[in-house]
Structure formats: C-alpha cells, structure tokens
C-alpha cells in the first residue's frame, strides 16, 4: 500500500514550535520530481512537513530525545493506556511522574512516551522546556478542549517505512542522492548565544554541512539579513516569502519574511 493513501488523514500528533505545514504548498512542487528519493529531515521537529509530503523512504532526525522516543513508540504501534484528562491537578501529577521516570533512567519507556504526548498536548503551547535541574517545567495549558489521540495504528503503517534518529545533524550518514529538507530553529538576530538553543555558530555549521551534500537541498529560515547573506555565500539560490505570522511586538502588521533556499535542484 502506498503511503499517499493516508496523505489527507494524518495530522502531526504533537504541537511543535516552528511547524512548517504552511510551507508545504511551496515545498511540494520542489519535492515531487524527487519523490522516489529518500527524504532526509535532519531537524524534523513535529513532522508537519514529512506527514504532508508522505515520502516512501525517509530519515527523520532530531536532537530532542523525548520527541524521537515518542515517534519510535508510534512506529512500533502505540496505544496510549494512561488516563488523559485536561485538568490542572492531573497535569501536574503526570508532569511529576514524567520527571521521576527520567530521573530513574526510564526516559525511553512506553510510559515516558505516553506522558510526553499528554504533557505536549495539555501543557502551555506545546512547549518542551526543562529547568537547570533537567526537570520538565512547562505549566498547564488551559485549553478549552483537547482531542487526544490514543490509537496510532494509522501512523504505524506510515512510520514503518521511515527511519528515526536522535543525534546532532552532523552525525547523520547520508546517501549522495538523498533529498534534504532542513528547517533549523529561527535565526534570532542580536542573540549571539542562548544556552541549549541554536546559536549563530550552529546556523553556520548547518549551512556548511548542507553545502557539501551533492544531492538536492532545501532550507527554510527566518529571512534575517545575515541568513540571506550566509545562504547566498554558500551557493544557495534564495527566495523570500511572506510568512503567516505577524510581527506583533512593534504593533506593525507587516508579514514576517521567510527564506526558502535551494541547491542542487
Ligand atoms: C523549527 S523545528 C523543525 C520543525 C519541522 N520542520 C516541522 O515542520 O514540524 C527545529 C528542530 O530542530 C531541532 N534541533 C535543534 N538543534 C539541533 C541539532 N543540533 N541537531 C538536530 N536537531 C536539532 C529542535 O529540537 C527542533 O525540533
């Protein structure tokens, strides 16, 4: 059965910062001539793009161990058994239990995957944040209604053809003809270093690594001046698009700009 059977049905199961579902109409025509190739997402996040493109073969990597643990359990055929309630007291008790599992070396367990799903959907904005003692510390989300998914059978059918990996992007082993879509955390200008974040050195390291790939590469990012220059300096063809988010802090309603950079296509 072809993966495309599910194309309309499968939404990303998690809420994840920086999801690029809105970019899919731009990415699909670039991907389609290469759809027989393996799709590699070295910073795959919540899979908004991969679940829309539905490749036959994929290598999906992210440095977040809880995220990849959840996807690996889905790949094995996950049915969530724990109670799922959109209730504040319940949320904090599940959060404490999740932190205990991590402390006890059980972060790759099925229960940790189930709790991660619950905390992601019930916590504030789908954030994944840890304090200095490595405790998950996202507050309760106060959503009116949450449609929890317990049964991942449909996802298992699709995920079984895909490989999940959890490492820094530079550790991936690529094939020369892989099609790469790389979507790093946004470049936030004037921030030179943020602990655990994706700083400027990482932005440079990523484009250097991608520029060595002989096959097709597509990159997206926030269109800051230095990102546009960096991608052009490494031989990418750069297009700018209007992103759906607005810059709200200044009160001006100008759409933010997104970069779509291409090479080897
Ligand atoms: C903007 S998100 C990707 C969103 C995804 N394209 C989507 O549409 O759902 C960027 C991801 O990069 C991951 N990341 C950050 N540093 C990384 C690194 N050094 N290697 C691999 N992944 C990394 C983060 O955990 C995050 O999930």
């Amino acid at each position: 059965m072809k993966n495309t059977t599910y194309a309309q049905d499968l939404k990303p199961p998690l809420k994840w910062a920086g999801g690029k579902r809105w970019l899919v109409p731009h990415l699909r025509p670039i991907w389609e001539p290469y759809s027989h190739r393996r799709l590699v997402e070295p910073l795959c996040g919540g899979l908004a793009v991969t679940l829309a493109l539905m490749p036959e073969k994929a290598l999906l990597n992210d440095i977040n161990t809880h995220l990849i643990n959840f996807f690996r359990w889905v790949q094995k055929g996950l049915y969530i058994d724990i109670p799922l309630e959109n209730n504040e007291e319940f949320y904090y008790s599940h959060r404490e239990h999740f932190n205990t599992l991590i402390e006890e070396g059980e972060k790759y367990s099925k229960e940790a995957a189930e709790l991660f799903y619950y905390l992601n959907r019930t916590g504030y904005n789908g954030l994944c944040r840890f304090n200095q003692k490595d405790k998950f510390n996202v507050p309760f989300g106060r959503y009116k209604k949450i449609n929890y998914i317990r049964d991942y059978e449909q996802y298992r059918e699709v995920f079984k053809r895909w490989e999940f990996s959890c490492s820094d992007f530079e550790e991936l082993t690529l094939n020369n003809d892989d099609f790469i879509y790389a979507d790093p955390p946004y470049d936030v200008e004037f921030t030179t270093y943020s602990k655990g974040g994706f700083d400027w050195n990482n932005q440079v390291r990523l484009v250097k690594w991608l520029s060595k790939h002989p096959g097709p590469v597509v990159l997206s990012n926030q269109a800051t001046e230095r990102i546009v220059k960096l991608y052009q300096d490494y031989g990418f063809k750069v297009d700018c698009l209007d992103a759906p988010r607005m810059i709200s802090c200044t009160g001006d309603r100008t759409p933010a700009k997104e970069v779509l950079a291409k090479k080897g296509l």
Side-chain angles (χ1 to χ4, degrees):
M1 197 182 317
K2 271 189 74 96
N3 276 352
T4 41
T5 316
Y6 297 99
Q8 266 96 55
D9 307 325
L10 292 186
K11 302 241 159 22
L14 301 169
K15 276 174 154 299
W16 206 252
K20 294 297 179 310
R21 216 171 172 82
W22 69 270
L23 255 185
V24 170
H26 300 277
L27 294 170
R28 196 188 298 284
I30 306 172
W31 155 252
E32 255 162 18
Y34 299 92
S35 59
H36 55 290
R37 305 255 187 122
R38 182 170 75 155
L39 174 70
V40 178
E41 264 214 76
L43 312 101
C44 69
L47 300 186
V49 169
T50 307
L51 279 169
L53 296 181
M54 286 286 170
E56 280 291 314
K57 291 170 284 177
L59 170 60
L60 305 167
N61 176 72
D62 200 283
I63 205 159
N64 188 311
T65 52
H66 307 291
L67 178 74
I68 298 298
N69 183 50
F70 172 74
F71 291 149
R72 283 180 171 154
W73 277 101
V74 169
Q75 195 181 34
K76 282 188 248 184
L78 179 67
Y79 186 91
I80 296 188
D81 293 318
I82 58 165
L84 303 171
E85 278 179 38
N86 184 17
N87 164 298
E88 187 160 2
E89 204 181 320
F90 197 79
Y91 175 82
Y92 287 110
S93 108
H94 267 10
R95 192 178 82 168
E96 200 176 311
H97 188 41
F98 179 66
N99 282 323
T100 309
L101 285 181
I102 297 175
E103 225 172 80
E104 291 174 348
E106 293 291 326
K107 71 173 180 176
Y108 297 119
S109 61
K110 174 172 180 267
E111 198 181 9
E114 294 177 334
L115 286 166
F116 181 69
Y117 169 76
Y118 168 78
L119 296 173
N120 171 272
R121 295 306 307 269
T122 319
Y124 185 77
N125 257 352
L127 287 179
C128 184
R129 197 184 60 193
F130 292 82
N131 66 16
Q132 283 175 337
K133 289 183 183 155
D134 264 348
K135 301 261 186 221
F136 185 85
N137 70 351
V138 176
F140 180 61
R142 303 191 185 285
Y143 294 104
K144 277 209 181 93
K145 187 170 168 11
I146 303 173
N147 289 319
Y148 295 109
I149 304 172
R150 286 189 178 275
D151 183 356
Y152 290 87
E153 181 54 26
Q154 278 201 322
Y155 289 87
R156 185 182 69 81
E157 279 296 313
V158 173
F159 281 23
K160 69 184 179 193
R161 293 185 171 87
W162 298 347
E163 187 185 341
F164 289 91
S165 138
C166 184
S167 68
D168 176 67
F169 58 82
E170 251 187 304
E171 285 166 35
L172 293 177
T173 307
L174 300 174
N175 301 326
N176 284 348
D177 64 347
D178 284 336
F179 181 104
I180 306 184
Y181 168 58
D183 179 34
Y186 279 150
D187 171 40
V188 184
E189 238 166 339
F190 313 117
T191 306
T192 49
Y193 178 76
S194 69
K195 188 173 175 290
F198 204 80
D199 62 15
W200 182 246
N201 290 335
N202 280 313
Q203 300 284 2
V204 175
R205 194 165 65 83
L206 176 65
V207 73
K208 271 191 186 166
W209 178 72
L210 292 170
S211 69
K212 289 184 207 136
H213 181 61
V217 181
V218 179
L219 249 170
S220 51
N221 206 323
Q222 172 146 266
T224 60
E225 247 176 70
R226 63 183 184 173
I227 278 289
V228 172
K229 181 169 185 313
L230 176 71
Y231 292 179
Q232 284 171 338
D233 286 350
Y234 278 89
F236 283 78
K237 183 183 172 299
V238 172
D239 291 314
C240 285
L241 309 165
D242 285 341
R245 69 217 139 77
M246 301 287 175
I247 299 165
S248 55
C249 51
T250 57
D252 105 32
R253 305 278 299 161
T254 326
K257 290 276 180 198
E258 184 88 8
V259 157
L260 203 59
K262 290 174 269 182
K263 191 186 78 61
L265 289 143

